[in-house]
Amino acid sequence: MTGEGNHARPRKIVHVDMDAFYASVEQRDNPELRGVPVAVGSPAARGVVAAASYEARAFGVHSAMPSVTAQRKCPDLVFVKPRFDVYKAVSLQIRAIFAEYTPMIEPLSLDEAYLDVTENLKGIEIATEIAEEIRARIKAATGLNASAGISYNKFLAKMASDLNKPNGQAVITPKNGPAFVERLPVKKFHGVGPATAEKMHRLGIETGADLKEKTLDFLVEHFGKSGPYFYGIARGIDNRQVKPDRVRKSVGAEDTFAEDIHSYEPAREGLQPLIEKVWSYCEANEIGAKTVTLKVKYADFSQITRSKTVPAPLPAITDLEEVVALLLAPLFPPRKGIRLLGVSLSSLERRRSETTPQLRLAL
């Protein structure tokens, strides 16, 4: 264990988060899109916004929003088809800059990563200076803005990176960390999704201070294996290490819907941001996946999973979309409303660096 739980030297963790990454790449590469509200994604009836420029965000458009809703909020919204190959190339440029400062890099997706700069390759003592240098280098190399959060653990570094977005940075010190968490609404906590926030609300937990009042036993009883994590972060404690080059056994994302789903189109729409999230993680970490699992939880809390394994790692996000659609279609019409959907990838392996032939899958 390190850092905040004892008297050891505090760690120096930087969370770097690219600002409106996909949309910013599109605006960089096409001058006609600059200053215009841009959504990366499909404008089709069942399309979903993968990313929104800051001009679009001013109208209330955000990622994971159905395209029809986005168009209603912003009639002048310009949709651009995602170019994941370009985003990947830019992400690798950014990763190379990180590697000049530390080998301790944990990518979360193509546009964000944790860096442990406690011991760094430049011998720079002050983490805020490292963050400033990295952001300036990213801007010079790619023309894109990055924001950063600096703190003594991963949770607070992640929270800090949101404080001065876009194109800014913030630090949360060991001295002010616990007080910062106490004031923060739990719905803004990293790791607390809408369903968990709603459950906390029902239990009378609105802020970090409310969370801190609960015992570990209470949190484990109500939140299971997440209980100890919530207990720690309520006190500004997060002992998770920055883990470079890790290959998980699986990677997944799920979402609980505000209203139960009864038809195919909204279900497929709801799955798109989850597909993009798990694919982005795999791309950022150079991981390929052969097994796709769809999780469905119904209104009565019963749940089923459906899986498909293919002979070789999925080469493109379109192949993942195809497999998910294949697993989803037979479940309709459902016997009861669907309250939660999830997508996970397993049979993960490191991708070979050489270019592999893009074989179409026989699905």
Side-chain angles (χ1 to χ4, degrees):
M1 294 295 222
T2 57
E4 57 275 19
N6 52 38
H7 296 294
R9 179 184 176 209
R11 292 180 295 160
K12 297 170 186 176
I13 310 297
V14 178
H15 177 259
V16 180
D17 193 0
M18 300 302 296
D19 296 331
F21 182 51
Y22 300 169
S24 296
V25 171
E26 298 303 337
Q27 289 178 315
R28 178 196 72 176
D29 293 351
N30 182 352
E32 291 179 9
L33 296 175
R34 292 174 198 166
V36 171
V38 171
V40 176
S42 167
R46 72 175 195 191
V48 174
V49 174
S53 70
Y54 280 95
E55 294 87 353
R57 292 181 191 189
F59 290 87
V61 177
H62 57 77
S63 61
M65 176 178 278
S67 297
V68 287
T69 308
Q71 285 169 312
R72 201 161 55 239
K73 285 180 176 287
C74 181
D76 295 328
L77 191 62
V78 177
F79 278 87
V80 181
K81 190 178 175 186
R83 298 180 298 153
F84 282 102
D85 54 337
V86 177
Y87 310 148
K88 172 78 177 292
V90 177
S91 182
L92 291 175
Q93 268 185 289
I94 295 164
R95 190 84 47 82
I97 293 168
F98 294 160
E100 292 181 30
Y101 292 83
T102 177
M104 300 293 286
I105 305 162
E106 182 181 333
L108 298 177
S109 61
L110 291 176
D111 60 348
E112 60 176 319
Y114 288 114
L115 315 180
D116 187 331
V117 297
T118 314
E119 306 292 337
N120 62 83
L121 301 174
K122 302 272 188 179
I124 301 172
E125 273 296 304
I126 301 170
T128 51
E129 287 180 12
I130 296 176
E132 278 172 1
E133 257 191 47
I134 287 174
R135 290 175 48 239
R137 292 280 308 282
I138 290 171
K139 181 72 172 180
T142 69
L144 300 170
N145 291 330
S147 293
I150 306 99
S151 197
Y152 56 97
N153 63 42
K154 287 165 80 171
F155 172 75
L156 287 171
K158 170 87 173 171
M159 301 312 301
S161 67
D162 279 336
L163 293 178
N164 286 321
K165 265 186 166 292
N167 197 28
Q169 65 182 57
V171 61
I172 298 175
T173 64
K175 184 180 176 184
N176 63 22
F180 172 84
V181 175
E182 285 188 16
R183 292 192 303 271
L184 200 65
V186 289
K187 65 183 179 185
K188 292 192 174 179
F189 279 30
H190 177 57
V192 175
T196 304
E198 177 55 34
K199 185 172 183 179
M200 287 186 174
H201 172 71
R202 290 198 303 270
L203 294 168
I205 303 169
E206 300 289 350
T207 65
D210 298 332
L211 189 61
K212 189 176 178 181
E213 287 177 5
K214 303 301 181 187
T215 64
L216 178 58
D217 287 346
F218 176 90
L219 294 174
V220 169
E221 178 190 343
H222 290 280
F223 300 101
K225 61 185 180 185
S226 298
Y229 171 71
F230 293 149
Y231 183 83
I233 60 173
R235 290 157 176 75
I237 296 169
D238 175 11
N239 288 317
R240 292 173 302 153
Q241 303 294 306
V242 171
K243 295 179 182 172
D245 297 324
R246 59 179 182 160
V247 177
R248 296 178 176 180
K249 289 193 172 74
S250 66
V251 55
E254 58 184 43
D255 196 9
T256 303
F257 301 100
E259 294 179 10
D260 292 348
I261 289 173
H262 296 273
S263 55
Y264 177 84
E265 292 297 330
R268 178 63 192 83
E269 193 177 273
L271 281 165
Q272 188 62 28
L274 307 180
I275 290 169
E276 287 168 2
K277 186 174 184 179
V278 295
W279 186 259
S280 182
Y281 177 87
C282 288
E283 285 280 88
N285 287 278
E286 299 277 305
I287 292 167
K290 292 192 286 191
T291 300
V292 181
T293 301
L294 174 70
K295 175 181 175 182
V296 180
K297 186 180 285 185
Y298 293 101
D300 64 357
F301 289 86
S302 63
Q303 70 178 50
I304 60 166
T305 57
R306 296 288 183 268
S307 297
K308 183 170 180 63
T309 300
V310 295
L314 296 161
I317 190 170
T318 49
D319 299 294
L320 174 56
E321 289 168 348
E322 239 174 274
V323 177
V324 170
L326 200 74
L327 295 171
L328 183 67
L331 304 179
F332 288 87
R335 52 196 171 85
K336 53 182 85 73
I338 293 170
R339 74 184 309 268
L340 174 148
L341 288 168
V343 176
S344 61
L345 303 178
S346 52
S347 307
L348 303 180
E349 55 188 62
R350 282 255 169 251
R351 287 203 182 123
R352 292 194 299 277
S353 54
E354 70 268 23
T355 305
T356 51
Q358 297 290 298
L359 300 174
R360 290 300 299 164
L361 299 169
L363 296 175

